[in-house]
Amino acid sequence: MEVIDKLLLELAALDVKLSVAGGKLLCNAPKGALTPALREAIQRHKPALLQVLAKADGPSAKAGARLTPGMGDDELPLSFSQERIWLLSHIDPDNHAAGNVQFAFRLSGELAVDALEQTLNAVIERHAVLRTCCQTRDNRPVQHILPSVRFSLPVHDLGGLNEREQATAINAAAERCLMQPFDLGSAPLLRAELLRTKVDAHVFLLATHLYVFDGWSTALLFRELSRLYAAFRAGEASPLPPLPPLAAQYADFAHWHRRWFEGAEAAKQRAYWLDTLRHAQLVTDLPLDRPRLPQAVHETACAEFTLPGFLADAVRELSREMGATLFISLLAAFQTLLHGYTRQDAIASGTIVSNRRLAETEHMIGSFANNILIASVFGTGITFRALLDQVKKSSREAYAHQDIPFERLLDGLNPSLRVHPLFRVMFVLHQHQSIQDEGLELAGLGLQKLPLPKPRSKYDLELIMVDRNGVLSGLFEYNAGIFERATIEGMIAHFFRMLKQVTANPDLPLAELPDLRKHGPGDHAATAARPINPVAPATETEAALAALWQTLLGIENIGMHERFGDLGGHSLLAIRLMAAIQDLFNTEMTPTGLFDFPTIAKLARLIDNNTEAVR
């Protein structure tokens, strides 16, 4: 069964879940996770997979890896994740609000307030973790579950205030409801408020805490709120299947998880990670604009971008050619970018896993997510193709050992890694049509998600990529205390250029890519191969466009036939360029137009033709 075990481990690493129902093999996979080769392997080994899964003896369902309701006694232990959060709340109580999970929505239409309150109570009753608080017994933290909670939804009428006064009141309510620290000793760990701004307009504030919640839980919560509200608004009973009287809950997972790691599995995973991380290197020598101060607290800032269609297609095509997922290819590209800035011979970057490998946990709200580290070695002469194979292998192994909390490893690592170890840079890919993408819908209401301030930065740098409806976009979240925005925009430009090079020639040795240490912040086009005698403007339109490009790109003497992307232009600069063109020439410009007419000469002809047509 070695082949089957290896296949199941590879699928688990990609968050692909196989199950058996009615004798049929069911597969739940994030969009893009299954390569053609994996689909073929599943089909080829289908009889063996059915046999293994039916016996529940595969690697994702090891002996004892089943949740039994009521596994604990009156002193239920905290999960590893809860233990970490509880300790942080005592070590740094002033910043404990960083664990708050916040949502704010503007609702338009006739809201059934009673139905919404009934909905919140039904969710709290359904998920015991929302009725769970932390108590101390014999100097040990334990979970305490309240048998029932009656939640009242406050409604504040702001209808008598003018627009400015309403904005002030909404900000104050958001500060109170969303930003105030939770008392982990009091349940429920959920807050909600309604602010009525008009008869048919409300602001809905909702907050919970990482002690009982994670990213996967968001989709579960929104899905249940949506279905329950629609039913209660119509005067109907709950449409959700009732939980069995002894259904497993999050506390059962916490109890099982601790018992499981008392044995051989904990020792195996610990040995793997200690061996992997013993020589791990922090990502150093990034182009910091200011020194990192030990006690400084800085907000997170963001810089968004969208890959041009041709570049996104090239990344997907290389992934298919290499039998790799989009996650693997983009992670390898991110690590290549970091290598370009640091020239370290090893790069270690973190990512987040759902850590829900037991079937019973898929429909639980709770704090399950875990960090894992994926390390790559940049040996002499390594190509992007070879790096991608390496990342594919190391990612598969890391996901297979995803259960152990990293805090449990620190005493075995280099002491210099114990303070915020290993996770100064992170990479995450969100793929549309996964469970995490389900949004809140309230029947009969228009709903707009309101922006919320970012919490303080946990990492120096985090790349979050999003694959949605065929569009590949992303953002760099960064510590604004050590980076200027111009530096991050330069990273985006270098990321684009590097992706073009490695997708065009994956066998190019990475040592031949530009050494980004030589270029200062905002030097977007420093590595471009520039013409010796660039073609000068021939018309007034070309001259005006050249001046715009020079201002945006920070480059002098731009040739009329040089391409915007080759000079370091990216989506952020393209948006600015389009706005400037519309203001200067009174003509509409779209991203498609910019990609179809990438040089000043071509763009000038397009603008002149549009102007002539209007005349």
Side-chain angles (χ1 to χ4, degrees):
M1 302 297 288
E2 183 178 348
V3 173
I4 300 302
D5 283 353
K6 183 178 178 181
L7 176 58
L8 286 171
L9 283 174
E10 185 171 4
L11 294 173
L14 301 172
D15 252 357
V16 177
K17 296 179 175 60
L18 298 181
S19 58
V20 178
K24 294 183 178 180
L25 183 64
L26 305 180
C27 179
N28 182 12
K31 182 181 178 182
L34 287 178
T35 64
L38 279 177
R39 291 180 186 276
E40 192 275 331
I42 292 172
Q43 187 62 36
R44 184 171 69 253
H45 297 293
K46 184 176 178 180
L49 287 169
L50 284 168
Q51 182 181 9
V52 168
L53 292 172
K55 293 181 178 179
D57 60 359
S60 63
K62 302 176 180 68
R66 311 293 293 178
L67 291 189
T68 302
M71 296 176 75
D73 49 24
D74 290 337
E75 294 191 0
L76 294 166
L78 273 60
S79 69
F80 291 121
S81 175
Q82 288 178 322
E83 183 180 67
R84 178 181 70 248
I85 294 167
W86 178 81
L87 287 171
L88 289 174
S89 72
H90 285 71
I91 294 171
D92 192 12
D94 292 339
N95 293 308
H96 183 43
N100 288 13
V101 183
Q102 312 153 0
F103 306 100
F105 302 94
R106 191 176 296 279
L107 310 179
S108 57
E110 186 177 348
L111 173 65
V113 176
D114 291 344
L116 184 56
E117 181 178 274
Q118 185 183 0
T119 294
L120 292 168
N121 275 288
V123 170
I124 293 172
E125 180 182 0
R126 185 176 181 83
H127 296 278
V129 70
L130 297 176
R131 293 181 271 112
T132 299
C133 58
C134 182
Q135 294 186 348
T136 303
R137 297 182 186 175
D138 300 326
N139 295 319
R140 293 181 298 105
V142 296
Q143 295 193 59
H144 176 65
I145 304 175
L146 300 183
S148 63
V149 169
R150 175 59 190 173
F151 181 83
S152 296
L153 178 62
V155 181
H156 305 284
D157 194 344
L158 308 182
L161 305 179
N162 62 38
E163 189 172 330
R164 178 176 296 180
E165 292 170 335
Q166 281 190 356
T168 301
I170 291 172
N171 288 337
E175 179 75 21
R176 179 182 64 250
C177 180
L178 304 181
M179 303 300 293
Q180 289 298 310
F182 277 91
D183 176 7
L184 300 185
S186 299
L189 293 179
L190 182 143
R191 298 192 197 112
E193 288 188 19
L194 274 175
L195 311 174
R196 181 181 291 120
T197 57
K198 296 179 181 178
V199 174
D200 58 352
H202 295 78
V203 172
F204 178 39
L205 304 175
L206 181 65
T208 182
H209 197 273
L210 291 175
Y211 185 79
V212 297
F213 208 77
D214 60 11
W216 187 288
S217 300
T218 301
L220 295 176
L221 176 65
F222 285 176
R223 183 170 61 194
E224 293 192 2
L225 288 177
S226 301
R227 296 185 64 190
L228 287 166
Y229 177 79
F232 295 156
R233 174 177 176 266
E236 300 171 356
S238 168
L240 302 179
L243 294 176
L246 294 178
Q249 292 278 354
Y250 179 78
D252 300 309
F253 164 79
H255 188 269
W256 166 82
H257 203 201
R258 286 185 173 273
R259 284 196 354 187
W260 195 35
F261 275 104
E262 291 173 357
E265 182 63 25
K268 181 175 76 73
Q269 294 204 20
R270 178 181 174 83
Y272 167 81
W273 283 114
L274 289 180
D275 181 62
T276 300
L277 303 178
R278 188 164 284 116
H279 305 292
Q281 296 182 27
L282 289 170
V283 175
T284 57
D285 298 327
L286 285 172
L288 305 187
D289 297 295
R290 287 179 291 274
R292 184 184 293 104
L293 300 178
Q295 303 302 323
V297 175
H298 296 288
E299 296 299 317
T300 297
C302 300
E304 300 183 53
F305 61 89
T306 299
L307 290 184
F310 76 90
L311 191 52
D313 290 343
V315 175
R316 296 183 202 278
E317 181 57 36
L318 180 62
S319 301
R320 284 191 289 268
E321 176 189 333
M322 293 292 297
T325 64
L326 190 59
F327 171 85
I328 299 297
S329 298
L330 290 171
L331 174 57
F334 181 48
Q335 291 188 336
T336 300
L337 179 72
L338 296 174
H339 176 67
Y341 278 109
T342 66
R343 288 307 183 191
Q344 292 178 210
D345 57 6
I347 295 288
S349 55
T351 192
I352 300 173
V353 290
S354 64
N355 202 20
R356 293 172 180 255
R357 294 207 283 171
L358 298 183
E360 296 93 330
T361 65
E362 291 187 28
H363 303 290
M364 284 184 187
I365 288 176
S367 183
F368 293 90
N370 192 20
N371 291 332
I372 60 171
L373 195 85
I374 299 173
S376 296
V377 177
F378 289 78
T380 303
I382 188 172
T383 65
F384 188 75
R385 185 186 300 276
L387 177 68
L388 205 153
D389 277 336
Q390 183 186 149
V391 172
K392 183 163 55 173
K393 178 177 182 295
S394 57
S395 297
R396 181 170 61 244
E397 293 175 349
Y399 273 81
H401 298 84
Q402 67 177 270
D403 306 87
I404 195 165
F406 266 68
E407 293 78 11
R408 300 258 154 180
L409 299 171
L410 300 188
D411 58 347
L413 296 176
N414 185 320
S416 66
L417 300 178
R418 293 181 187 176
V419 180
H420 202 355
L422 309 175
F423 293 111
R424 285 187 175 173
V425 294
M426 290 284 287
F427 174 80
V428 177
L429 171 65
H430 295 304
Q431 293 184 289
H432 193 48
Q433 294 183 355
S434 67
I435 188 170
Q436 291 90 337
D437 291 306
E438 295 187 17
L440 178 64
E441 297 180 359
L442 297 178
L445 296 173
L447 188 147
Q448 175 190 3
K449 191 173 183 179
L450 298 179
L452 293 169
K454 290 282 183 184
R456 68 172 180 167
S457 177
K458 293 186 291 184
Y459 314 109
D460 287 354
L461 186 68
E462 183 174 8
L463 174 58
I464 302 171
M465 297 296 298
V466 179
D467 180 21
R468 177 176 287 113
N469 297 330
V471 177
L472 196 54
S473 61
L475 62 87
F476 277 97
E477 286 193 356
Y478 60 95
N479 184 335
I482 58 178
F483 289 114
E484 295 286 354
R485 184 178 181 88
T487 300
I488 303 302
E489 290 188 355
M491 283 188 185
I492 294 173
H494 291 312
F495 187 55
F496 277 34
R497 291 177 57 77
M498 181 271 297
L499 281 175
K500 290 179 185 178
Q501 289 174 283
V502 299
T503 54
N505 183 11
D507 295 310
L508 177 73
L510 298 183
E512 296 183 17
L513 293 175
D515 185 343
L516 303 181
R517 295 175 299 178
K518 298 178 181 178
H519 310 300
D523 185 10
H524 300 161
T527 60
R530 304 290 313 287
I532 297 175
N533 296 308
V535 176
T539 67
E540 292 184 2
T541 303
E542 288 183 354
L545 286 174
L548 285 179
W549 285 35
Q550 289 169 8
T551 300
L552 288 173
L553 298 169
I555 302 172
E556 296 183 0
N557 299 322
I558 296 177
M560 298 302 98
H561 302 296
E562 293 187 83
R563 299 170 65 90
F564 186 71
D566 291 340
L567 294 172
H570 51 79
S571 57
L572 291 171
L573 293 178
I575 292 171
R576 297 182 189 176
L577 178 60
M578 287 186 294
I581 289 174
Q582 290 171 354
D583 290 342
L584 185 61
F585 297 103
N586 194 28
T587 185
E588 185 174 354
M589 177 58 58
T590 66
T592 302
L594 195 57
F595 290 133
D596 290 341
F597 301 89
T599 68
I600 291 177
K602 292 182 178 180
L603 197 54
R605 284 198 295 272
L606 174 67
I607 292 171
D608 289 340
N609 289 339
N610 288 345
T611 302
E612 186 66 30
V614 170
R615 291 173 182 169

